[in-house]
Structure formats: structure tokens, C-alpha cells
Amino acid sequence: MSGIESLKAAAQSAIDRRRDWLIDIADKILRNPEVGFQEFKTAQLVSDKFSELGIDHTDGVAITGVTGRLRGGNVGPTVAILGELDSLRVSEHRHADPETGAAHACGHNCQISMMIGAAIGLMIPEVQRVLCGDVELMAVPAEEFIDVEYRLGLHREGKIGFLSGKQEFIRLGAFDHVDMAMMVHSSASPEDAKFSLGATSNGHLGKYVRFVGKSAHAGSSPHRGVNALQAAMVALHALNTQRETFQDPDIVRLHGILTHGGVAANATPADVRYEGRVRGRTTEVIADASAKMDRCLKAGALALGAKVEITTIPGYFPLSNDLTFGSIFRDSAERLVGKSSFADHSNGPTRGGSTDMGDLGQIMPVIHPYTGGFSGTGHGEDYQVVDYEQAVIRPAKAMAMAVIDLLANDAAKANEVIKRSPPKMTRQRYVDIQNARMSKESYEGK
Amino acid sequence: MNLQETKAAVLTEIDRRGHEAVAAAKHILNDPEPGFREQNTSRFVGEKLREMGIPFEDGLALTGLKGVMSGGKSGPTVGVFGELDSLIVPDHPLSNTETHAVHACGHHTQIGSLLTVAIGLQAAGVLESLAGNIALLAVPAEEFIEIEYRDELRRAGKLEFLGGKSEFIKLGVMDDVDIAMMTHTENQDWGYEDKKIGVGANNNGMVAKRIQFNGVAAHAGGSPHLGVNALNAANIALMGIHAQRETFRDEDSIRIHPIITKGGTVVSSVPADVRMETFVRGSSISAYVAASEKVDRALRAGALAVGGSVDITTIPGYTPLAQDSALTEIYVSNAGQIVGSDNIARMGHRSGSTDMGDISQIMPAIHPYAASATGKAHGNDYEVQDYDLAVTTAGKAMAMTIVDLLFDGAHQANKITKNFKASMTRSDYLSWIRSIYSEETYTE
């Protein structure tokens, strides 16, 4: 066994020794789901585990983020391993918080666990010594782009500049000393096998929309009212008629929820709120679909003689996985599960979902592979871990081994990744672009 | 002859010759023609008037006629309308196989009752005892249909208004008419038990719209992203209209009931030219003008949503009908003598519209109903069953009313015209109705 191979074996053994301890972390977070920018207990748990392991770390990054650093034996590039702290809200989920409806219906709880697991593999002295560069361990808040109204409140109060964790991390400079980043997301799709890596995912932007009408007694004087709910209905109907104008390869998704549909059934709804999402393969596609959504929202207001306020919120950039980086991860993953259990989607279609890993991909090489071990429907009530070995332990090992490959041997592979994939933009340019995408418009229908 | 003897002479004459009018009505039933296209019907009415020796003008508002019967002394003129036009109901068993025209609103009996009046007044000695004239008004186009066709006639300068009675007013046909009346058919199962005649109803007024949504055609399968779908715009607009229904007050009786007259050209092409017609009706002018603005808003919203444009032409329709109450009472006393006073129904508001409403704005008018038909008005099963009521009795009641009005120096007619408070003068009416016309193109 070569030196590198024996180091990888040692890292795996170290992770295996902590197997139950790691699974317990995932399970604790599963049972204590917290939504984005409110992951206080989860963040505390990460902080405690870092302390227990003797990892230097910083708490309170972007409200709840925690970042730790493992120093390599020599200087070199920094590889970040990310884990997402936040849950979704799916109140029907078996492990939903009965009060908040928060639930880990996207498997982020396992990400924290595997990130700490990778650290355990890399912290054994013989491994840490050969790394030519550091490893940044990042527990990041708020990947799910939800609770827009709440987060806009944080934005107004100056507590956040962007509405997702990685966007905030970028803005705050948390990635300034990071050269490449990876994380492993869960999947329950059979086509994703045990591990998979695709090429691209959709980007998106958010809409926070308020239809303003005029309230009146809905029984005795509806003629005095202006029904904001009807305006929203017309707008949503109009939105559906746009779908035929989207081209299949552009993977456009328009969807949303009504967060406020009226106050009392006997009053004409005068304040109706909609949280919308516009997704697409490229920022140009998203901008076009966004303009169509705006047109429809205004049409709803115009039809009823209502007003509509549209806040457009910079969402996520489309994700492009770095293929050089990806092949290194793939080697490690295939070693664990065999070639036939790794699904290579690098020539596959763009995934319809979105992640703020796409934003990070604008300023450094990133990969966002998927692991199995789950069943059910992502974001659904039945999404759950069925195999912790695959959901936590193997991804931890795969990431640890990929870091060894990247940073051993004078970080030759890491430097190759960096050289092949210069950043698409600087941090400042990213922040400027995203700030420019934030807009608010008020339209009076008449 | 005294008043009673005069009326008796009228009734006797109608009993003797009234079958001619019934036959005329049935003749027209078999040759239905929609508004402003009633050439055969117009010619037929002209022949009848000529046979009866009544002088008349024809070609009024394209197909209308006006016959005049002069009384023994001068005095006010009472107009009696008969509407010439049919509807278009393709699946009516009596509809014309080519044009689908059919008398699904019973207008053919109106020409019958008009001729019945003429027959009655031709009884020996009757006209001599009257002070004033009777205008027999065979008027085109009461049904407000074929808007596109009529609007093209308007654009070609052949018409200004799309209803016959507004055209009559504009042309001055009504200038020498002081009081107007007509009788319309109704379903026998009309909610007034088995009463025969209904009086006093009000009707909605309305405006009409011609609407054209403009999009961009593209291959609907290969490149729908290059198209702008005008049918979707129309669909959104319709939903926008419906979404506002709760804002209409019951008492305003708002009715908005669009049709799509062109919904696209071929399925494989994104529809780029979609056309609709609609009415916006209401019980008062202010109510339906406000509703019309809401409709326009919804139409614009449809265009806005898809990124297309919409052309909206608003066309004056009919004004709400308000029947003169003094005239109604004279009519009731006469009609009651024929059908029994217990068989007269006092009617409430009706949400349909008639251009008799326009007439009622400028002169005392009545528009009673004769419950003589079965089936749904404007439906595929509406048929007049009781011609005796729709033609003969209706004609008798109107003829007797005319005698009352013009007898004895026309003092009843003069009283009614003196007490009548016109909501607008004839010239105000024309400038108001002209002000309803509007054309707009809305693009985002």
C-alpha cells in the first residue's frame, strides 16, 4: 500500500471508530429541526462537537454559522467541507417539530454529521501532517430559501445582507481564505445510485409579493371592496398560461405559495401575500421568466383594480460542478461503493432544484455530489434516512479521502483544480450583482 | 260615436280581419332575418301596408318602415312598434338552414300586433274621431347581435348605432312621435301564474364591446416560446371579469356574458388574433358604465399578462327601460277588458335589455308582455303558441289604448306628454349615446 493509500485507510478507520457517535449527531439534529438563520441549538451542537474535538472555530457567522479550521502540515490551498444547518418546514413529516413544523425533509442533518466525520478522518496526526493546505469546516445556515418574509425582516434590520447562508458567508468574507469547496447532499432517487455527481443545477430568484386591495364586508358591501385574493388568483392563473412559452432545456420552474390569503372570511381580503420562486438553467432564462411572472402579477392587480408590490430577491446562481474536482471525489466514492454504484450525471440534464452552492461556484471550484441512504420524496413528508452508513459514514470517508488526494503531494491536485477553474467573478463582483438583483416595484392597477 | 262605441268598432273590425295579421306573423316566422338584414320582412310589411292603403316610408335605417294613419283632427302622434328582426339560434327546429336565423324571441308576432292595431283603427269612423296620428313603426334590429357585422356597417357609414330604435331617433323618424308602445311575447311559465299580460317592467341598459387580443403567431409545437398567445390573454381576461362579480350590487343587476367569436386559426399555431364580444348590462347607466370600466381593466390585464395587446371598442347599446306609469294604467284598463283585470301581472325588474329603453328616455313609452310562448326566450325551444294573445289580443289592447289617448281632443295623450319628465332631450340623448363610443388599444 502506498503512503497515500495507507493514510486514506487510516482516515477511514478513524471515522469507523466514531461511527455511532457520528450517527448520533445526525439523529440529534433530525429530532431537533430548526429553519434557516434560527439554527441556534444545531449551531451550539456543532460548536460543542468542534470543542470536544479540539477544533478552533468561530461561532455566530451569519447569525448561526460555525466555521472551524484544520491546519495542514504545510501551507497550501484551503479546501472547505460544508454542512448545512437548516431544516425545511414540512409539518406532516414524522420528525416535524409540532410547534414550528420544521423538519429535516432534505437530509441536511446528515451533512453536519458527515462534515464532522470527514474532520475526524483528517485530524489523525499522520494525515494532518501530510496535508499541504488547510481544511475549513463550515456549518452553514439557511440553504433552504424559505420564510422569505421573516428573512426580509432580518434584512431590513441589517442582520443579514442576503437571504441564504452561503450568500451571507460570501458577503461576510467567510470564504476569502477558501480556494475550493465541497459538500455531499442526500438523495433518494434510484438513478442517483449510492453516489452521484451531476453537471449543473438550476439557479433561481425569489419573489415576495403583496396584493393590496380594499377591505369591506364581504356579505353586505362587497361592492365597496377590492379583493386582493381574486387579484392573486387571476395572477396565478395567468402565470400558468405562460408555461407553454418556456423551452424544455431551460428547465424553467415557476412556483410559489400564498402565505397570507385574507384575514376573515367575511371581509374582502385586502392584503394577500405570495412567495414565489423563478428557476431556470441560466441567469438570462431566469430574468426572462421573472419578467413574465411580474407581468402576470401586475395583470392580477390590473384586473381587480388592486395594487401589487413585488420584491424581487436575489436567489441562487445556477450550479456548475467542477469536473476536475468531481473526478477526484468520484475516485474516492467509487473506492467505497464500487464503480457500478456511482452515477455519473456529468452529461445529464440540469437538475431542477437550486442550491446556494451555485453562488459559491461563481467564485471558486465547487462540487455538490449526492449520496443515497434515503427514501421518500425530497421536501416531502416521507423523506427519511434508511441507511446511516450510506447517508453519513461513507460520504464522510469519501470527502476525507478526496481532501487527502487534493492536499497531499504539495497539493498538486488542488492546485490543478484551481488552475483549471479560475473564479468566474470576484467576491465583490458577486456581491454587486446580487445587490443589483434586489428590487422592489409597486404597481397600481387601473 | 262615443268612446265606448269607437272601441267596440275597433274590436269588431279586429275580430273580422284580425286573421290577416296572424297570417302575416306566421309568414314572417317562416322567413326569419336578423337585424339590418330584414329585406324580405321589410318588403312584406310594405306590401301589407300598401294593401291596407296606409302611406309609408321604407328603407329607414336600411330596412325600417313608417306608416302613418291620420286622425280626423290634428294632435299628438302615438307610435306603435313592431320589431322586424329575428335571432340566430342554430339548433332551433325552426331556424333557417343557411343563416340559422329564427324567431326565438317572437318578434314576428309584433309585426302581427302592429298590423292588428292598423286593422282595428281602420274600422269605419274610428280615425275620424281621433285627434292626432298613429305612426306604425316597423323597426329593424332590436336584437343586439352580429356586432362585428353591424360595426362594419357603422364603419362604412351605413349606420351610426347598432340598434334600430336609436337609428330611428337619430334619423328623425321619432321626431313627430310623442308616445310609443309595443307588445313583446313572453313564456307562459313566466313566474306570474297564468296571467296573460304583464306591465310595468324595467329593463337593464347596456353597452357592447368588440374586443381583439393581438399576440404573435408561432409554431405551437416547435417554438411556442416565440409566440404570444392571444387566446390565453382572452382566457385570463375572462377570469378577471369573473373575479369581479362579487363587487356588483344585486340591485344593479349587472350582467356580463362574453362570447369568443374567433379563438385562433389552427391548433398548430399559437393564436395571435382572438376576438370576443360582450355586453355589459345594468339597471342604471352609472352602474353599467362602472362595470364596463371593470371589464376594460380585466381585458387589459389579459393582454398585460401575456405581453400582447388588446383593442377594445365600446359600442353604445341600449338604455334602461322605464315605462310611463300613467300610460301603463290606461293600457291596463283596456287590456283588462279583454283578458280580465285579474290576468294582468305587475312586473318587476328584468335583466335583459331592449332599445325601447332608449325610446323611454325621451318620450312616454310602454312595453307590455304577452305570455304566449313556451320554451326559453333566445333558446332553441322558444315558440309562440298563443297567436290569439300575442297578435290579436295584444293588438286590441294597444288599439283601444290609442283610442283612449287620442279621443276627445287627445286630452289623455296631452296629459301624459305634459306630465312626462324626459331624462334627456333628443339631442342630449344623441350626444350622450355618442359619448359611449370609445376605441382603445392597450399594450404593456
Side-chain angles (χ1 to χ4, degrees), chain B residues 2-26:
Chain B
N2 67 18
L3 180 62
Q4 293 315 317
E5 288 163 349
T6 308
K7 285 188 188 175
V10 166
L11 294 180
T12 305
E13 186 67 6
I14 292 174
D15 286 338
R16 193 171 71 82
R17 285 173 53 204
H19 60 90
E20 294 170 27
V22 171
K26 288 181 175 169

Tab-separated table of all heavy atoms in Angstrom, chain B residues 2-26:
chain	number	residue	atom	x	y	z
B	2	ASN	N	-119.451	57.572	-29.547
B	2	ASN	CA	-118.759	57.926	-28.311
B	2	ASN	C	-117.553	57.006	-28.126
B	2	ASN	O	-117.262	56.152	-28.961
B	2	ASN	CB	-119.719	57.883	-27.118
B	2	ASN	CG	-120.188	56.465	-26.826
B	2	ASN	OD1	-119.564	55.494	-27.266
B	2	ASN	ND2	-121.293	56.355	-26.115
B	3	LEU	N	-116.859	57.191	-27.000
B	3	LEU	CA	-115.622	56.448	-26.769
B	3	LEU	C	-115.841	54.934	-26.792
B	3	LEU	O	-115.121	54.188	-27.454
B	3	LEU	CB	-115.022	56.887	-25.415
B	3	LEU	CG	-113.717	56.219	-24.995
B	3	LEU	CD1	-112.590	56.514	-25.983
B	3	LEU	CD2	-113.318	56.683	-23.594
B	4	GLN	N	-116.906	54.494	-26.046
B	4	GLN	CA	-117.140	53.052	-25.972
B	4	GLN	C	-117.523	52.480	-27.329
B	4	GLN	O	-117.089	51.397	-27.719
B	4	GLN	CB	-118.244	52.730	-24.934
B	4	GLN	CG	-117.829	53.029	-23.498
B	4	GLN	CD	-116.418	52.527	-23.170
B	4	GLN	OE1	-116.036	51.422	-23.542
B	4	GLN	NE2	-115.642	53.371	-22.496
B	5	GLU	N	-118.328	53.226	-28.057
B	5	GLU	CA	-118.731	52.762	-29.394
B	5	GLU	C	-117.529	52.693	-30.327
B	5	GLU	O	-117.409	51.777	-31.149
B	5	GLU	CB	-119.788	53.718	-29.976
B	5	GLU	CG	-121.141	53.581	-29.290
B	5	GLU	CD	-122.053	54.777	-29.548
B	5	GLU	OE1	-121.573	55.817	-30.089
B	5	GLU	OE2	-123.232	54.682	-29.193
B	6	THR	N	-116.630	53.648	-30.188
B	6	THR	CA	-115.430	53.663	-31.030
B	6	THR	C	-114.590	52.430	-30.757
B	6	THR	O	-114.131	51.738	-31.661
B	6	THR	CB	-114.618	54.943	-30.761
B	6	THR	OG1	-115.495	56.065	-30.883
B	6	THR	CG2	-113.476	55.068	-31.754
B	7	LYS	N	-114.376	52.158	-29.444
B	7	LYS	CA	-113.578	50.973	-29.093
B	7	LYS	C	-114.262	49.695	-29.584
B	7	LYS	O	-113.597	48.770	-30.066
B	7	LYS	CB	-113.385	50.899	-27.580
B	7	LYS	CG	-112.382	51.902	-27.024
B	7	LYS	CD	-112.140	51.602	-25.542
B	7	LYS	CE	-111.310	52.665	-24.883
B	7	LYS	NZ	-111.184	52.415	-23.437
B	8	ALA	N	-115.594	49.675	-29.436
B	8	ALA	CA	-116.327	48.485	-29.875
B	8	ALA	C	-116.151	48.276	-31.371
B	8	ALA	O	-115.972	47.144	-31.849
B	8	ALA	CB	-117.809	48.619	-29.506
B	9	ALA	N	-116.143	49.356	-32.107
B	9	ALA	CA	-115.952	49.259	-33.556
B	9	ALA	C	-114.565	48.702	-33.874
B	9	ALA	O	-114.385	47.869	-34.779
B	9	ALA	CB	-116.122	50.641	-34.191
B	10	VAL	N	-113.578	49.172	-33.106
B	10	VAL	CA	-112.198	48.676	-33.282
B	10	VAL	C	-112.168	47.171	-33.062
B	10	VAL	O	-111.619	46.405	-33.872
B	10	VAL	CB	-111.251	49.405	-32.300
B	10	VAL	CG1	-109.912	48.679	-32.215
B	10	VAL	CG2	-111.063	50.863	-32.724
B	11	LEU	N	-112.771	46.708	-31.962
B	11	LEU	CA	-112.715	45.288	-31.621
B	11	LEU	C	-113.456	44.453	-32.670
B	11	LEU	O	-112.994	43.366	-33.048
B	11	LEU	CB	-113.316	45.055	-30.234
B	11	LEU	CG	-112.524	45.698	-29.073
B	11	LEU	CD1	-113.204	45.399	-27.732
B	11	LEU	CD2	-111.077	45.222	-29.046
B	12	THR	N	-114.576	44.966	-33.127
B	12	THR	CA	-115.345	44.230	-34.126
B	12	THR	C	-114.536	44.062	-35.415
B	12	THR	O	-114.494	42.990	-36.013
B	12	THR	CB	-116.675	44.975	-34.415
B	12	THR	OG1	-117.350	45.171	-33.173
B	12	THR	CG2	-117.547	44.201	-35.386
B	13	GLU	N	-113.877	45.162	-35.806
B	13	GLU	CA	-113.084	45.098	-37.034
B	13	GLU	C	-111.933	44.090	-36.890
B	13	GLU	O	-111.630	43.335	-37.820
B	13	GLU	CB	-112.527	46.509	-37.353
B	13	GLU	CG	-111.795	46.610	-38.673
B	13	GLU	CD	-112.711	46.426	-39.893
B	13	GLU	OE1	-113.943	46.330	-39.721
B	13	GLU	OE2	-112.181	46.361	-41.029
B	14	ILE	N	-111.328	44.089	-35.694
B	14	ILE	CA	-110.220	43.142	-35.482
B	14	ILE	C	-110.761	41.708	-35.478
B	14	ILE	O	-110.143	40.802	-36.042
B	14	ILE	CB	-109.458	43.473	-34.174
B	14	ILE	CG1	-108.713	44.811	-34.337
B	14	ILE	CG2	-108.483	42.359	-33.805
B	14	ILE	CD1	-108.050	45.337	-33.095
B	15	ASP	N	-111.896	41.518	-34.875
B	15	ASP	CA	-112.473	40.173	-34.904
B	15	ASP	C	-112.744	39.729	-36.340
B	15	ASP	O	-112.630	38.562	-36.677
B	15	ASP	CB	-113.775	40.128	-34.076
B	15	ASP	CG	-113.500	40.166	-32.578
B	15	ASP	OD1	-112.349	39.806	-32.179
B	15	ASP	OD2	-114.382	40.571	-31.800
B	16	ARG	N	-113.089	40.688	-37.176
B	16	ARG	CA	-113.418	40.364	-38.564
B	16	ARG	C	-112.160	40.097	-39.408
B	16	ARG	O	-112.092	39.138	-40.153
B	16	ARG	CB	-114.210	41.549	-39.162
B	16	ARG	CG	-114.893	41.253	-40.491
B	16	ARG	CD	-115.835	42.394	-40.892
B	16	ARG	NE	-115.119	43.592	-41.290
B	16	ARG	CZ	-114.612	43.774	-42.516
B	16	ARG	NH1	-114.736	42.844	-43.441
B	16	ARG	NH2	-113.984	44.903	-42.819
B	17	ARG	N	-111.146	40.960	-39.248
B	17	ARG	CA	-109.992	40.884	-40.155
B	17	ARG	C	-108.687	40.510	-39.475
B	17	ARG	O	-107.629	40.452	-40.120
B	17	ARG	CB	-109.790	42.244	-40.837
B	17	ARG	CG	-110.802	42.549	-41.924
B	17	ARG	CD	-110.617	43.998	-42.408
B	17	ARG	NE	-109.244	44.312	-42.801
B	17	ARG	CZ	-108.722	45.549	-42.814
B	17	ARG	NH1	-109.457	46.579	-42.447
B	17	ARG	NH2	-107.481	45.744	-43.188
B	18	GLY	N	-108.761	40.268	-38.161
B	18	GLY	CA	-107.525	40.024	-37.403
B	18	GLY	C	-106.734	38.830	-37.896
B	18	GLY	O	-105.504	38.783	-37.762
B	19	HIS	N	-107.404	37.859	-38.503
B	19	HIS	CA	-106.714	36.661	-39.000
B	19	HIS	C	-105.656	37.018	-40.038
B	19	HIS	O	-104.660	36.319	-40.199
B	19	HIS	CB	-107.732	35.663	-39.577
B	19	HIS	CG	-108.519	36.219	-40.712
B	19	HIS	ND1	-108.100	36.104	-42.014
B	19	HIS	CD2	-109.693	36.920	-40.740
B	19	HIS	CE1	-108.985	36.710	-42.810
B	19	HIS	NE2	-109.963	37.208	-42.048
B	20	GLU	N	-105.859	38.152	-40.736
B	20	GLU	CA	-104.849	38.584	-41.730
B	20	GLU	C	-103.530	38.892	-41.033
B	20	GLU	O	-102.448	38.563	-41.531
B	20	GLU	CB	-105.315	39.854	-42.463
B	20	GLU	CG	-106.528	39.654	-43.342
B	20	GLU	CD	-107.079	40.998	-43.850
B	20	GLU	OE1	-106.288	41.964	-43.971
B	20	GLU	OE2	-108.299	41.073	-44.097
B	21	ALA	N	-103.635	39.501	-39.861
B	21	ALA	CA	-102.428	39.862	-39.112
B	21	ALA	C	-101.748	38.609	-38.556
B	21	ALA	O	-100.516	38.512	-38.537
B	21	ALA	CB	-102.785	40.837	-37.985
B	22	VAL	N	-102.569	37.650	-38.119
B	22	VAL	CA	-101.995	36.396	-37.619
B	22	VAL	C	-101.278	35.680	-38.758
B	22	VAL	O	-100.152	35.172	-38.597
B	22	VAL	CB	-103.093	35.495	-37.000
B	22	VAL	CG1	-102.534	34.109	-36.679
B	22	VAL	CG2	-103.678	36.154	-35.747
B	23	ALA	N	-101.887	35.693	-39.917
B	23	ALA	CA	-101.253	35.046	-41.073
B	23	ALA	C	-99.948	35.743	-41.426
B	23	ALA	O	-98.944	35.101	-41.761
B	23	ALA	CB	-102.207	35.057	-42.265
B	24	ALA	N	-99.940	37.066	-41.305
B	24	ALA	CA	-98.717	37.826	-41.601
B	24	ALA	C	-97.611	37.434	-40.626
B	24	ALA	O	-96.455	37.226	-41.009
B	24	ALA	CB	-98.999	39.323	-41.526
B	25	ALA	N	-97.982	37.320	-39.350
B	25	ALA	CA	-96.989	36.928	-38.338
B	25	ALA	C	-96.402	35.561	-38.670
B	25	ALA	O	-95.182	35.351	-38.609
B	25	ALA	CB	-97.633	36.918	-36.944
B	26	LYS	N	-97.276	34.640	-39.044
B	26	LYS	CA	-96.801	33.280	-39.345
B	26	LYS	C	-95.944	33.268	-40.609
B	26	LYS	O	-94.993	32.485	-40.721
B	26	LYS	CB	-97.984	32.325	-39.452
B	26	LYS	CG	-98.593	32.069	-38.062
B	26	LYS	CD	-99.748	31.106	-38.084
B	26	LYS	CE	-100.204	30.810	-36.644
B	26	LYS	NZ	-101.478	30.082	-36.594
